[in-house]
Amino acid sequence: MALVVMKFGGSSVADANKMKIVASKIIAKKNASNKIVVVVSAPGNTTDNLFESVDKVTSNPPLRELDMLLATGEIISISLLAMTFSSMGQKAISLTGPQAGIFADSSYTRARIKKINPKKIKSLLAKNSIVIVAGFQALNPKGDITTLGRGGSDLTAVALAAELKADLCEIYSDVEGVYTTDPRIIKTARKLDYISYDEMLEMAGSGAQVLQSRSIEVAKKFKVEIHSRSTFSQNQGTIITSEEKIRRKKMETLLVSGITFDKNQVKFTIVDLPDIPGVAAKIFSKLAKNSVNVDMIIQSAAVNKKNDISFTVCKQDAKKAQLELDNIIEEFKNSQVVYDEHVAKISVVGIGMKSNAGVAAKMFEILYKKGINIEMISTSEIKISCIVDERDMTKAIEELHKGFGLAKKVEKFS
Ligand code: ASP
Ligand code: MG
């Protein structure tokens, strides 16, 4: 008998009909001789709605109480799903995160899982029950319920799969898997059969919203292979696994696996900063102290003892960043801050870059041929990102997607 962890996202349990589809899928899997642990998210937009209801009460909620409220979303899903099973004559039981033995550190709203005591889950599985666990929640050392950050149900699923040494960890959502780029924007985007943990992390960090980043980190650390697939079809999805396995099995290795984009960025440039030690330290530690998350940073080489620093921050942090920068540069006479919120970050991601030179050159060439100006560039071992004018975004993705050979062949009818 194999042990399978099946996680269903909020859109898969958004109403009673969808719950029935989910329950039937789970029963079919169980009948194929498996023990099943199910992890569910809150139905539909419940978590967003809970946040909105907080806004009506206060702009500064006590975090303990915020987590208490947010945890209710997943409790709706587990109990309703257990009732759905019962109506179908199937043995199932719901457990909150704490009841499932999931323990976290002491931070609220973004708690980290510290350990899992799987005793209760195991004894219920031994009694042939389907065990339904509320995602996104855990118990902290004070005995309070906490949450694991947005998208945290993915983390619950992967952590349980690691602890229980599950044979399979399936993450179901309303998309077929991981795509070469967003199929809502680029019609020729195609589903990848395999992708490595590192590529997935880079893609999640640069705009793709398939799985929570931390869940991928945990999957990588504990070697949990994830199958990301759709609740509403029988198709194979995308396997997220180690680079070694992809290489060993000589699976499809592409130079570039995906193109991601992020419109949620604002570009800041501080011009004419003095070229002396400590300037960057001062600027970025002030921003960090104010919890401004900085993404790309470039500093120009100094000319006449002056240089410029450009960086991007997410739109939500832009106001905070601007106020902070106005303060900081008072100290640097003649410096000036300029910003541009009409930018987009386009990234190409692929482990193929490690062994192939010229990917960056090819990216720049493709953009140049379409007259697209690159405003900033940053690279990692498996990613190259460019900031461009947001009006050029779709064109840039389209051309890169084609240029790197990712577009699926569209059938021609003659
Ligand atoms: N319900 C939580 C959220 O919306 C957790 C999850 O969906 O994974 O972020
Ligand atoms: Mg989710």
Side-chain angles (χ1 to χ4, degrees):
M1 244 199 178
L3 175 63
V4 185
V5 172
M6 302 170 84
K7 183 256 167 177
F8 292 87
S11 55
S12 303
V13 290
D15 59 43
N17 263 338
K18 290 186 175 146
M19 287 242 182
K20 277 210 185 96
I21 295 175
V22 164
S24 308
K25 258 201 142 91
I26 296 169
I27 293 171
K29 185 121 282 170
K30 182 167 191 278
N31 290 345
S33 182
N34 292 298
K35 292 184 178 186
I36 312 282
V37 174
V38 181
V39 174
V40 275
S41 296
N45 297 326
T46 306
T47 309
D48 290 334
N49 296 341
L50 289 172
F51 271 109
E52 276 170 28
S53 60
V54 174
D55 289 343
K56 288 184 191 138
V57 177
T58 171
S59 58
N60 189 20
L63 297 182
R64 178 188 182 278
E65 305 310 331
L66 180 59
D67 271 353
M68 186 70 102
L69 180 74
L70 293 179
T72 61
E74 272 65 18
I75 297 176
I76 298 174
S77 299
I78 54 167
S79 45
L80 283 175
L81 185 59
M83 291 178 210
T84 308
F85 279 121
S86 147
S87 77
M88 295 165 95
Q90 184 72 43
K91 209 165 143 188
I93 182 163
S94 64
L95 299 176
T96 64
Q99 286 175 322
I102 302 173
F103 297 96
D105 63 11
S106 50
S107 53
Y108 292 101
T109 69
R110 295 182 121 212
R112 291 185 164 261
I113 295 178
K114 280 285 171 216
K115 73 167 197 276
I116 297 179
N117 177 353
K119 224 171 115 192
K120 186 160 185 147
I121 294 181
K122 281 186 177 164
S123 81
L124 290 164
L125 287 173
K127 288 182 194 139
N128 203 27
S129 186
I130 293 170
V131 181
I132 311 163
V133 179
F136 180 53
Q137 51 181 255
L139 196 69
N140 78 1
K142 283 191 190 158
D144 291 336
I145 197 159
T146 57
T147 62
L148 308 173
R150 294 308 304 265
S153 300
D154 293 338
L155 180 62
T156 305
V158 172
L160 281 173
E163 177 64 42
L164 297 165
K165 304 201 171 38
D167 300 281
L168 201 57
C169 178
E170 297 184 314
I171 298 201
Y172 288 85
S173 66
D174 53 8
V175 294
E176 295 277 336
V178 182
Y179 279 75
T180 49
T181 192
D182 191 335
R184 287 168 301 186
I185 296 194
I186 305 295
K187 291 283 165 281
T188 54
R190 63 187 171 87
K191 191 192 72 200
L192 293 160
D193 292 334
Y194 290 88
I195 189 159
S196 71
Y197 297 122
D198 288 332
E199 287 169 311
M200 203 56 227
L201 275 168
E202 290 282 21
M203 281 167 75
S206 58
Q209 286 175 341
V210 184
L211 294 173
Q212 191 213 31
S213 292
R214 272 177 55 207
S215 71
I216 306 161
E217 281 163 14
V218 173
K220 182 182 174 191
K221 184 163 170 199
F222 294 97
K223 301 193 170 55
V224 174
E225 201 166 89
I226 298 173
H227 186 178
S228 156
R229 60 191 308 187
S230 166
T231 306
F232 306 107
S233 83
Q234 299 295 333
N235 301 340
Q236 274 286 115
T238 304
I239 305 285
I240 302 151
T241 188
S242 66
E243 185 176 332
E244 298 77 60
K245 180 156 176 186
I246 293 177
R247 290 196 192 279
R248 194 167 23 144
K249 296 217 160 179
K250 295 217 177 3
M251 295 166 189
E252 184 183 36
T253 40
L254 301 160
L255 191 56
V256 163
S257 303
I259 319 275
T260 55
F261 55 91
D262 183 359
K263 272 206 292 193
N264 191 32
Q265 302 249 329
V266 177
K267 182 183 81 169
F268 284 89
T269 302
I270 317 176
V271 287
D272 286 343
L273 280 163
D275 181 38
I276 48 170
V279 173
K282 206 164 264 167
I283 294 168
F284 291 103
S285 55
K286 274 265 170 60
L287 292 174
K289 242 183 232 144
N290 286 283
S291 305
V292 173
N293 228 327
V294 176
D295 185 17
M296 291 164 89
I297 304 177
I298 49 174
Q299 178 183 293
S300 62
V303 178
N304 297 333
K305 298 233 169 298
K306 294 211 174 299
N307 57 27
D308 303 342
I309 294 183
S310 296
F311 56 91
T312 60
V313 307
C314 65
K315 283 202 167 122
Q316 296 85 298
D317 286 354
K319 263 254 115 50
K320 249 193 310 185
Q322 201 188 337
L323 288 174
E324 238 4 84
L325 291 172
D326 287 343
N327 278 334
I328 298 167
I329 62 154
E330 270 178 20
E331 169 179 345
F332 306 121
K333 269 182 241 107
N334 305 323
S335 309
Q336 203 193 330
V337 181
V338 284
Y339 71 94
D340 182 357
E341 49 188 350
H342 300 290
V343 294
K345 182 172 78 170
I346 314 283
S347 309
V348 302
V349 176
I351 46 177
M353 277 178 217
K354 284 188 189 174
S355 41
N356 287 280
V359 178
K362 182 164 175 172
M363 179 177 189
F364 305 154
E365 185 84 7
I366 291 169
L367 295 176
Y368 158 66
K369 281 206 178 119
K370 289 291 156 186
I372 296 170
N373 190 36
I374 301 170
E375 300 180 18
M376 284 172 86
I377 301 167
S378 81
T379 60
S380 80
E381 199 182 15
I382 60 165
K383 181 175 81 173
I384 304 158
S385 302
C386 293
I387 294 285
V388 300
D389 187 314
E390 73 179 0
R391 283 168 302 187
D392 289 332
M393 187 184 89
T394 310
K395 183 102 230 128
I397 305 168
E398 204 168 8
E399 291 303 321
L400 291 167
H401 193 251
K402 218 174 2 178
F404 282 105
L406 296 177
K408 73 175 169 211
K409 292 186 185 63
V410 182
E411 301 243 351
K412 283 203 190 101
F413 298 99
S414 52

